[in-house]
Amino acid sequence: MKKIAVLTSGGDAPGMNACVRAVVRTALKSDVQVTGICRGFQGMIEGDFTPLSHLSVSNIIHRGGTFLKTARSKDFLTPEGRKVAFANLQKEGIEGVVVIGGDGSFRGAMTLNTEFGIPVIGCPGTIDNDLFGTDSTIGYDTAVNTVVQAVDKIRDTADAHNRLFFVEVMGRDAGFIALRSGIASGAETVLIPETTTYVNSLIDTLEKGWKNHKSSAIIIVAEGDESGGAYELAKSVGSKFSHWETKVTVLGHIQRGGSPSAFDRVLASGLGNKAVVELLKGETNKMVGLHHKNFVLTPFSMATKHHNKINSQLLELVNVLS
Ligand code: ATP
């Protein structure tokens, strides 16, 4: 290969810039040119391309977001849109593509490969950590740290005023952010989409805490939990506790932003490097991931079909330590 492209797609995640940097510098070391595709698959359709040099990825390793920008592209879901996208790749002389994104982006990459035969490798970039084939996705560790920092601050005010706080975190289909940040911030309990939420048992837990003279309580709720989210719980559970004032904080998009953690920078650098090495070796239709400290490949078909499983030991830990 003489020229490859890199794009970021779907939701942005801290560490995507570090991954693009690794892709560019690894490729250039092998005398392969790199084109940056702006705004994901939409930019591929619109020919929004930019050549990337060693210097164009300087001073980005510490920046959140993605300097290539990202997008969700409806046009790429149509065969006509993808035809235009592939014609643009051909015009530019691109022989392989590294896609940094979540499972939707990998489905897009797979379609590109199936329809036009162009080699594609994916790097898992999503704060949700729900992709099968990697112990951690780019952005997840940073998002968890952001939540923990926020909850530490909430705990101060909760304690000062005897408050019961419901903190809602991201995770429409996955409770990884909620579970990890819940343990790290010492939450009373964690409510996630993967498990059944029993409101009565939550009330019991809180009552026990009150009897043990706890001055405040913090519950972490993933946005996709079946309870309907933090506001619903504040209504149904908070009303049972007159001694605590009930409050809700929805952390929202703050969880996507910020400088990536050291862990995410190292992960993103390793994955970006591995993606290019494998692409140049002739691999295609696979996602690179971290498994037991090794960078490994998983076919897109598996990465997009299965979900990472919640660690039941960690789930149990929340209850034991509550
Ligand atoms: P996140 O996990 O942050 O949501 P994602 O990569 O899963 O990231 P999506 O919006 O699901 O985000 O997908 C990104 C883009 O990938 C879509 O906007 C669309 O352009 C493309 N895409 C998704 N699924 C397909 C598909 N089946 N065929 C072709 N393109 C697809």
Side-chain angles (χ1 to χ4, degrees):
M1 283 183 193
K2 293 271 180 290
K3 197 192 254 187
I4 63 169
V6 59
L7 62 88
T8 52
S9 167
D12 62 306
M16 280 181 160
N17 283 325
C19 192
V20 173
R21 173 180 176 270
V23 166
V24 171
R25 295 203 168 163
T26 304
L28 292 177
K29 282 255 155 68
S30 299
D31 291 323
V32 173
Q33 289 178 284
V34 187
T35 296
I37 301 176
C38 302
R39 296 179 294 115
F41 293 118
Q42 192 58 33
M44 196 183 275
I45 292 170
E46 293 173 19
D48 194 355
F49 297 165
T50 180
L52 294 175
S53 67
H54 194 90
L55 266 188
S56 45
V57 291
S58 285
N59 289 325
I60 62 165
I61 194 165
H62 60 295
R63 280 171 47 193
T66 157
F67 85 106
L68 285 179
K69 311 268 183 191
T70 184
R72 302 188 197 272
S73 169
K74 285 207 177 105
D75 295 340
F76 198 78
L77 296 172
T78 66
E80 298 75 31
R82 292 194 294 272
K83 248 184 229 160
V84 175
F86 180 63
N88 285 335
L89 293 181
Q90 276 190 311
K91 225 189 292 165
E92 183 74 12
I94 290 163
E95 296 166 278
V97 184
V98 175
V99 173
I100 306 167
D103 58 344
S105 303
F106 295 161
R107 272 187 211 105
M110 243 188 329
T111 315
L112 198 62
N113 178 265
T114 315
E115 291 179 354
F116 307 105
I118 185 154
V120 283
I121 292 284
C123 293
T126 165
I127 62 168
D128 292 335
N129 201 39
D130 55 349
L131 279 168
F132 180 81
T134 188
D135 297 340
S136 197
T137 54
I138 297 166
Y140 167 59
D141 182 67
T142 307
V144 168
N145 282 308
T146 301
V147 173
V148 171
Q149 282 167 16
V151 175
D152 286 350
K153 288 175 181 146
I154 289 168
R155 181 177 289 284
D156 289 344
T157 174
D159 191 50
H161 286 275
N162 288 4
R163 281 174 174 160
L164 164 60
F165 259 94
F166 291 93
V167 181
E168 188 172 298
V169 302
M170 280 188 170
R172 271 196 301 269
D173 306 306
F176 292 96
I177 294 178
L179 179 56
R180 200 161 186 86
S181 62
I183 291 172
S185 60
E188 246 58 54
T189 195
V190 166
L191 306 176
I192 57 175
E194 291 88 341
T195 58
T196 308
T197 295
Y198 298 104
V199 171
N200 286 342
S201 108
L202 172 60
I203 293 171
D204 284 349
T205 305
L206 290 169
E207 263 170 4
K208 267 188 216 139
W210 175 248
K211 282 183 190 142
N212 281 336
H213 309 290
K214 282 199 170 182
S215 56
S216 61
I218 291 174
I219 314 293
I220 308 278
V221 190
E223 60 184 329
D225 183 66
E226 63 183 349
S227 59
Y231 280 106
E232 285 304 314
L233 281 162
K235 265 193 246 156
S236 57
V237 178
S239 56
K240 305 269 189 275
F241 296 94
S242 55
H243 41 270
W244 280 325
E245 193 188 358
T246 305
K247 293 281 176 192
V248 170
T249 300
V250 177
L251 290 181
H253 283 81
I254 192 175
Q255 294 161 88
R256 282 202 186 278
S259 180
S261 66
F263 179 87
D264 271 331
R265 296 180 200 191
V266 175
L267 175 70
S269 300
L271 292 176
N273 166 266
K274 175 85 173 165
V276 173
V277 168
E278 297 298 335
L279 193 62
L280 298 184
K281 266 195 219 160
E283 284 289 358
T284 184
N285 255 347
K286 289 181 180 156
M287 178 193 87
V288 293
L290 180 73
H291 187 56
H292 294 166
K293 297 187 179 162
N294 292 312
F295 292 114
V296 296
L297 290 172
T298 301
F300 278 150
S301 54
M302 285 175 73
T304 55
K305 192 152 46 165
H306 304 289
H307 260 219
N308 244 352
K309 287 240 166 357
I310 283 284
N311 182 333
S312 55
Q313 286 180 341
L314 288 186
L315 210 49
E316 182 55 27
L317 192 60
V318 181
N319 296 328
V320 172
L321 302 184
S322 153

